[in-house]
């Protein structure tokens, strides 16, 4: 069997996306537990050895594009920016756009993940990795800002992004990139890091506490409630 990853001219990123797409298709059709690595490799046109050279397990295949996106997000944030707060929001927008471009694949994965508790747990951990990336970036580029402000901002951006992303995947026509941009601008205004923010807004810190595993909808609801109280 030809090992496509070693074939000249094959982009490794495209190869991984191809394998991921085939794996998620099989998971959707046959069930996660019933699908074997051999079946995935066969559907993707690769050997079992090549599969394990790229992925450690079936679970890794499900979230392989997240690994790529996390790397891309980190690379984007490593470039110079005059407004690091806006850079975080743009990065969230880039992630949203990538999943929107592959909405059918994202929808299939969502259905698979919801059926398997271990995958749901992995998805939650993956979401926290984006949030941690934002926190680490901001603490590096704006070290004098209060830690709670940075942590709260990163949590708010991540929660708004995840809420709209999930709704977009479900087919909500209102869950658009434009709506995400508006929501994140609102977050920036609340934290006083948007153009034209008042001194009072700049001194404000939004803190939202929630235990690990809290549903995204609940987190977003808490943020929206605090935003509403501030506006009132």
């Amino acid at each position: 069997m030809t090992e496509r990853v070693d074939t000249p001219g094959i982009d490794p990123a495209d190869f991984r996306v191809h394998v991921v797409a085939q794996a998620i298709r099989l998971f959707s059709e046959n069930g996660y537990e019933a699908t074997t690595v051999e079946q995935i490799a066969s559907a993707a046109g690769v050997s079992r050895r090549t599969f394990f050279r790229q992925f450690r397990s079936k679970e890794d295949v499900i979230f392989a594009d997240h690994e790529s996106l996390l790397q891309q997000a980190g690379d984007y944030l490593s470039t110079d920016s005059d407004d690091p707060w806006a850079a975080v929001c743009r990065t969230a927008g880039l992630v949203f756009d990538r999943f929107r471009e592959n909405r059918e694949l994202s929808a299939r994965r969502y259905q698979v993940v919801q059926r398997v508790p271990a995958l749901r747990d992995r998805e939650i951990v993956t979401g926290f990795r984006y949030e941690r990336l934002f926190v680490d970036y901001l603490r590096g580029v704006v070290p004098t800002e209060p830690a709670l402000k940075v942590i709260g901002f990163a949590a708010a951006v991540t929660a708004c992004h995840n809420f709209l992303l999930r709704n977009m995947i479900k087919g909500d026509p209102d869950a658009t990139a434009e709506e995400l941009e508006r929501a994140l601008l609102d977050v920036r205004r609340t934290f006083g890091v948007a153009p034209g923010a008042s001194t009072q807004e700049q001194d404000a810190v939004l803190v939202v506490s929630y235990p690990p595993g809290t549903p995204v909808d609940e987190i977003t609801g808490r943020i929206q409630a605090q935003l509403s109280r501030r506006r009132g």
Side-chain angles (χ1 to χ4, degrees), residues 117-171:
L119 296 181
R120 291 201 301 270
D121 292 342
R122 173 77 175 265
E123 184 180 46
I124 291 170
V125 171
T126 301
F128 281 127
R129 290 179 65 190
Y130 285 100
E131 184 176 325
R132 184 75 253 172
L133 175 68
F134 297 155
V135 169
D136 291 344
Y137 164 72
L138 288 172
R139 297 197 73 173
V141 296
V142 286
T144 60
E145 292 286 356
L148 282 179
K149 180 176 181 178
V150 168
I151 293 169
F153 179 83
V157 168
T158 304
C160 288
H161 170 272
N162 289 351
F163 176 79
L164 287 171
L165 177 64
R166 182 163 297 181
N167 284 359
M168 180 273 291
I169 291 172
K170 292 178 180 178

Side-chain angles (χ1 to χ4, degrees), residues 7-221:
T7 303
I10 295 294
D11 185 333
D14 291 341
F15 168 80
R16 287 172 67 83
V17 170
H18 169 69
V19 177
V20 169
Q22 292 301 318
I24 291 178
R25 178 182 63 80
L26 290 173
F27 294 154
S28 298
E29 294 173 357
N30 306 326
Y32 176 76
E33 297 296 343
T35 301
T36 66
V37 167
E38 287 74 13
Q39 289 172 326
I40 298 170
S42 177
V46 302
S47 70
R48 190 174 186 274
R49 185 180 66 178
T50 296
F51 176 91
F52 280 114
R53 213 186 296 160
Q54 294 293 312
F55 311 96
R56 292 174 300 178
S57 65
K58 290 195 302 182
E59 184 175 311
D60 280 349
V61 177
I62 287 280
F63 300 100
D65 51 350
H66 273 295
E67 297 300 322
S68 176
L69 276 173
L70 280 162
Q71 180 63 51
Q72 292 175 40
D75 291 344
Y76 182 81
L77 290 174
S78 68
T79 61
D80 293 335
S81 174
D82 294 334
D83 186 342
W85 308 94
V88 167
C89 294
R90 287 195 298 270
T91 303
L94 291 174
V95 175
F96 184 92
D97 287 342
R98 177 58 62 87
F99 284 111
R100 179 174 53 82
E101 292 166 3
N102 297 281
R103 181 187 169 277
E104 182 178 350
L105 180 63
S106 299
R108 283 187 172 186
R109 173 177 39 217
Y110 176 78
Q111 293 168 357
V112 171
V113 167
Q114 295 312 299
R115 300 188 193 116
V116 183
L119 296 181
R120 291 201 301 270
D121 292 342
R122 173 77 175 265
E123 184 180 46
I124 291 170
V125 171
T126 301
F128 281 127
R129 290 179 65 190
Y130 285 100
E131 184 176 325
R132 184 75 253 172
L133 175 68
F134 297 155
V135 169
D136 291 344
Y137 164 72
L138 288 172
R139 297 197 73 173
V141 296
V142 286
T144 60
E145 292 286 356
L148 282 179
K149 180 176 181 178
V150 168
I151 293 169
F153 179 83
V157 168
T158 304
C160 288
H161 170 272
N162 289 351
F163 176 79
L164 287 171
L165 177 64
R166 182 163 297 181
N167 284 359
M168 180 273 291
I169 291 172
K170 292 178 180 178
D172 182 353
D174 295 325
T176 62
E178 293 74 22
E179 181 60 25
L180 176 62
E181 186 176 352
R182 284 191 289 270
L184 296 185
L185 178 58
D186 202 5
V187 170
R188 290 171 62 199
R189 286 171 176 159
T190 299
F191 281 84
V193 293
S198 67
T199 302
Q200 182 178 5
E201 288 175 324
Q202 292 173 2
D203 292 337
V205 176
L206 175 66
V207 178
V208 181
S209 61
Y210 50 89
T214 302
V216 171
D217 292 359
E218 183 177 339
I219 297 171
T220 307

